[in-house]
Amino acid sequence: MEKNSGIYIAGHKGMVGSAIVRKLQQEGFSNLILRSSRELDLTDQKQVINFFEEKKPEYVFLAAATVGGIQANNTYRAQFLYENLMIQNNVIHQSYVNGVKKLMFLASSCIYPKMAPQPIKESYLLEGPFEPTNEPYAIAKIAGVKMCENYNRQYGCNFISVMPTNLYGPNDNYDLETSHVLPALLRKFHEAKIKGLEYVEVWGTGIPRREFLHVDDLAEACFHLMETYHGNVSVNVGTGQDITIKELVEIIKKIVNYEGEIIWNSDKPDGTPRKLLDVTLIHSLGWKYKIPLEKGIKDFYKNKFQD
Ligand SMILES: NC(=O)c1ccc[n+]([C@@H]2O[C@H](COP(=O)([O-])OP(=O)(O)OC[C@H]3O[C@@H](n4cnc5c(N)ncnc54)[C@H](OP(=O)(O)O)[C@@H]3O)[C@@H](O)[C@H]2O)c1
């Protein structure tokens, strides 16, 4: 990418898109093309056709999607399937039609099989059944990964995709119904502390293991891969280290300085038992994460809840 290349970041107001914008700005890219969903509804084919014909972006980061935690994925199943398919079909196809030089599609580690051997290698995709709560989302995202792969094969495009692990950081969603586990927990513990509550109820058993990556580390990885990687394998992006939800809760409790009890509600679903990415490929491509989890959460908490 040249410093004045037209680079469209779809979903620039979201957690991932905004981190990619920050990274590109830091690197001195000056011709960023940004549209909110109000200005450009990516589920609307006509709008997307007109936008690509008019703006002719040279590079595309596709970080626009309908996303959420277990509850949202399980409740809005039709919407997650339809909207994600529409967004990615429109953007990936118009990128091909308009000669985009390179596109990056943001997939997700939650599209791997529920019982995938750990750590999860890129080759395990589609080797077993999905976690039922997010099957529609996974089906849509896999279609996106396969579109990139097959547009490369049939049309000679240069479209790549990445499989980020669970992310956290600025511009995350804090809505308790639709958010991911880490921001939801931070908010719960913060509110419990402010209100002086005696206990905090946490969903699930605390036993599942999860990996967390700061979104600024992800943006570094996306930039690095956009500059250096050409291939059909959707690349895992993670730290390569996981912790139990119980351990995460203890870290958050300590950072928030909450002194009450924790009650585990095991009637609520746990989701996949373990989700740790094998990061051998991305290490071999020259990228490793930098921000340690506890420091990342501490900074994130300070910026979001204390300043
Ligand atoms: N968050 C994670 O932990 C995580 C982990 C792995 C992978 N990912 C992937 O990263 C990508 C981005 O996730 P995120 O966490 O950044 O999500 P997010 O914060 O919810 O942001 C999503 C963005 O998509 C845009 N968008 C949604 N529907 C749209 C539409 N119809 N037209 C145009 N724009 C639309 C939204 O735009 P407006 O704000 O303008 O409405 C929003 O900025 C997703 O593909 C997700 O699968 C995320």
Side-chain angles (χ1 to χ4, degrees), residues 11 13-16 36-37 40-43 63-65 67 87 106-108 137 141 164-167 180:
K13 287 181 153 183
M15 176 167 58
V16 172
S36 69
S37 61
L40 171 62
D41 177 0
L42 293 173
T43 64
V67 305
I87 291 171
L106 271 291
S108 170
Y137 181 74
K141 286 281 170 189
T165 189
N166 301 295
L167 304 168
H180 287 108

Side-chain angles (χ1 to χ4, degrees), residues 54 62 93 107 117 132 189 238 290 301:
E54 188 193 331
L62 177 42
H93 188 69
F189 278 87
K290 290 192 191 122
Y301 180 62

Side-chain angles (χ1 to χ4, degrees), residues 133-186:
T133 52
N134 77 345
E135 187 195 83
Y137 181 74
I139 296 276
K141 286 281 170 189
I142 288 171
V145 168
K146 291 291 168 190
M147 277 186 84
C148 291
E149 181 186 324
N150 291 295
Y151 274 59
N152 293 346
R153 290 183 194 281
Q154 184 176 346
Y155 301 130
C157 295
N158 189 357
F159 294 171
I160 61 175
S161 63
V162 285
M163 298 281 208
T165 189
N166 301 295
L167 304 168
Y168 68 98
N171 294 325
D172 208 342
N173 166 11
Y174 297 90
D175 182 311
L176 290 178
E177 282 232 327
T178 56
S179 64
H180 287 108
V181 60
L182 198 155
L185 286 171
L186 260 185

Side-chain angles (χ1 to χ4, degrees), residues 53-252:
E53 277 177 358
E54 188 193 331
K55 290 293 162 191
K56 293 277 181 205
E58 291 165 84
Y59 297 91
V60 173
F61 287 89
L62 177 42
T66 301
V67 305
I70 294 178
Q71 181 87 346
N73 268 283
N74 202 20
T75 309
Y76 308 111
R77 298 177 71 92
Q79 242 173 294
F80 272 69
L81 186 53
Y82 175 77
E83 291 174 8
N84 284 310
L85 282 172
M86 292 302 283
I87 291 171
Q88 63 206 37
N89 283 352
N90 288 335
V91 174
I92 294 171
H93 188 69
Q94 288 311 312
S95 293
Y96 153 61
V97 169
N98 290 279
V100 164
K101 291 180 186 157
K102 191 159 187 174
L103 171 145
M104 171 176 279
F105 173 65
L106 271 291
S108 170
S109 64
C110 58
I111 72 179
Y112 281 114
K114 176 172 175 149
M115 302 311 279
Q118 305 289 322
I120 308 171
K121 292 184 195 300
E122 283 86 354
S123 59
Y124 298 165
L125 191 65
L126 290 171
E127 288 204 333
F130 304 112
E131 157 62 41
T133 52
N134 77 345
E135 187 195 83
Y137 181 74
I139 296 276
K141 286 281 170 189
I142 288 171
V145 168
K146 291 291 168 190
M147 277 186 84
C148 291
E149 181 186 324
N150 291 295
Y151 274 59
N152 293 346
R153 290 183 194 281
Q154 184 176 346
Y155 301 130
C157 295
N158 189 357
F159 294 171
I160 61 175
S161 63
V162 285
M163 298 281 208
T165 189
N166 301 295
L167 304 168
Y168 68 98
N171 294 325
D172 208 342
N173 166 11
Y174 297 90
D175 182 311
L176 290 178
E177 282 232 327
T178 56
S179 64
H180 287 108
V181 60
L182 198 155
L185 286 171
L186 260 185
R187 181 170 161 184
K188 258 191 177 177
F189 278 87
H190 177 72
E191 287 180 358
K193 185 185 154 187
I194 301 291
K195 291 178 187 159
L197 301 183
E198 285 175 12
Y199 68 89
V200 168
E201 184 189 290
V202 184
W203 286 10
T205 62
I207 295 166
R209 301 185 69 85
R210 290 289 182 274
E211 179 187 14
F212 297 95
L213 179 73
H214 195 284
V215 72
D216 287 343
D217 271 338
L218 173 73
E220 297 258 345
C222 290
F223 178 69
H224 177 73
L225 293 174
M226 198 68 166
E227 291 285 66
T228 59
Y229 176 69
H230 312 278
N232 279 333
V233 174
S234 186
V235 182
N236 286 345
V237 186
T239 62
Q241 294 163 15
D242 62 354
I243 61 170
T244 65
I245 297 296
K246 269 206 172 105
E247 288 165 329
L248 175 70
V249 163
E250 288 304 329
I251 292 175
I252 288 176

Side-chain angles (χ1 to χ4, degrees), residues 33-47:
I33 304 166
L34 311 172
R35 293 287 182 282
S36 69
S37 61
R38 274 209 191 161
E39 295 161 325
L40 171 62
D41 177 0
L42 293 173
T43 64
D44 183 326
Q45 191 180 32
K46 274 200 189 125
Q47 288 187 35

